[in-house]
Amino acid sequence: MAKRVKKEAGDMSFMDHLEELRWLLIRSTIAIVIGGLVAYSFSDFIFDEIIFAPKSGDFITYRIFCDIATKYDLDKSFCMDELPFEIQSRTLDGQFSTDLWTAVTAGFILAFPFILWEFWKFIRPALYDNERKYAIAFLFSTSILFFLGVLFGYYLITPLSLNFLGNYRISSIVKNDIDLQSYISVIKTTAISCGLVFELPIVMYFLSKLGLVTAATMRNFRRYAYVIMLVIAAVVTPPDVVSQLIVTIPLVILYEMSILIASRMNRTPKTS
């Protein structure tokens, strides 16, 4: 049997690229399933100590905001024993399906560095020789940014959102009994979304490399970007400046990092 020889990017046909992409997806899916099985075996800890932790008033974020509010005489909505709503499962398979899909989400988070490695191998043939040596730096920085984003979403955006939405009232007649899947969805969506948002500098690197984004464009859009960040912070935080700044500052840092990366890419000559 003839030994399969890996082709370079220039020698690969469209079908060859599709075949590589297919195996990338297969290996990534297997990694997510393995990570999900590991997470499923620790489901009690994941639900009791992680997912349902932000519902308690003793959650670390609430305690920090309560201490800040007490010290500076600000809004004390975070000084509480528990969020004013109950979590319920309204379907027969609700708890099972929630357990299953939460394990899949955790599996994706755990497998993220491996998925990145597979992505890097897929795009590596299209890179210049002087860019291929940055594989470890790419994997490390991208993984760190993703995990920082997940932590940022879980420890900051999630409790702020739960506190805002859980205390929001259109009438005292309406009682908040939150569906389990709705509660889980807020946490999963927030954590994953923030993890992906924190990849902004990496995305800007590739977009700048392709010539689709320039530092000048991002600088011109900066004032609008800051307004959007402030609006987001104002929605998910109490009506005080300190809370809004805590949410806004990391987003501003990410945006400025993206401008620096784009600026460097725009003036870096392409060499083979």
Side-chain angles (χ1 to χ4, degrees), residues 80-98:
M80 57 186 172
D81 295 325
E82 191 175 29
L83 290 177
F85 61 81
E86 297 296 327
I87 301 175
Q88 60 177 344
S89 178
R90 298 184 295 110
T91 58
L92 185 62
D93 66 337
Q95 297 198 50
F96 173 74
S97 60
T98 297

Side-chain angles (χ1 to χ4, degrees), residues 1-264:
M1 181 179 295
K3 184 177 180 181
R4 182 183 176 186
V5 179
K6 187 172 180 64
K7 301 177 182 179
E8 292 296 326
D11 300 326
M12 294 175 66
S13 67
F14 177 72
M15 295 304 297
D16 290 330
H17 285 292
L18 286 182
E19 179 69 9
E20 290 293 327
L21 180 61
R22 184 174 74 91
W23 280 106
L24 181 155
L25 295 175
I26 290 174
R27 289 190 293 267
S28 298
T29 300
I30 292 174
I32 293 173
V33 170
I34 293 174
L37 291 174
V38 173
Y40 188 79
S41 65
F42 293 95
S43 60
D44 289 342
F45 174 81
I46 290 175
F47 280 98
D48 293 337
E49 303 298 330
I50 298 178
I51 291 180
F52 294 130
K55 188 181 182 303
S56 171
D58 194 45
F59 190 62
I60 183 171
T61 305
Y62 300 140
R63 288 191 278 111
I64 292 174
F65 273 85
C66 180
D67 291 341
I68 293 174
T70 302
K71 182 176 181 179
Y72 296 101
D73 194 26
L74 303 173
D75 180 84
K76 295 182 175 58
S77 60
F78 287 101
C79 300
M80 57 186 172
D81 295 325
E82 191 175 29
L83 290 177
F85 61 81
E86 297 296 327
I87 301 175
Q88 60 177 344
S89 178
R90 298 184 295 110
T91 58
L92 185 62
D93 66 337
Q95 297 198 50
F96 173 74
S97 60
T98 297
D99 197 5
L100 187 64
W101 285 109
T102 299
V104 172
T105 303
F108 171 77
I109 294 174
L110 293 174
F112 190 77
F114 178 80
I115 296 173
L116 282 177
W117 173 247
E118 289 294 321
F119 175 74
W120 175 266
K121 289 196 301 181
F122 182 73
I123 67 171
R124 184 177 182 274
L127 299 176
Y128 294 104
D129 291 336
N130 65 324
E131 294 173 328
R132 296 177 183 179
K133 61 184 179 181
Y134 296 116
I136 300 301
F138 168 79
L139 292 173
F140 179 79
S141 60
T142 307
S143 298
I144 289 297
L145 284 172
F146 177 76
F147 290 129
L148 284 176
V150 170
L151 292 175
F152 177 78
Y154 174 73
Y155 280 106
L156 194 60
I157 303 299
T158 291
L160 293 176
S161 299
L162 290 177
N163 181 72
F164 171 75
L165 296 173
N167 284 286
Y168 192 87
R169 293 287 186 275
I170 58 174
S171 173
S172 59
I173 297 176
V174 182
K175 180 181 179 181
N176 273 345
D177 287 326
I178 309 301
D179 184 71
L180 173 62
Q181 294 184 5
S182 175
Y183 176 87
I184 299 294
S185 177
V186 169
I187 295 179
K188 291 194 299 185
T189 302
T190 302
I192 297 296
S193 298
C194 287
L196 297 178
V197 166
F198 268 55
E199 299 295 342
L200 181 63
I202 306 298
V203 173
M204 287 301 106
Y205 169 82
F206 286 103
L207 292 180
S208 300
K209 177 178 171 59
L210 294 172
L212 299 177
V213 174
T214 65
T217 301
M218 295 190 67
R219 290 192 186 98
N220 292 334
F221 188 72
R222 178 187 276 142
R223 67 183 70 180
Y224 305 106
Y226 283 5
V227 170
I228 293 173
M229 295 174 195
L230 288 172
V231 169
I232 294 174
V235 169
V236 301
T237 61
D240 63 75
V241 177
V242 175
S243 301
Q244 294 175 11
L245 287 177
I246 291 176
V247 174
T248 305
I249 288 175
L251 300 178
V252 170
I253 292 174
L254 284 173
Y255 194 83
E256 293 300 327
M257 285 176 58
S258 300
I259 292 178
L260 290 175
I261 291 173
S263 177
R264 181 170 182 178

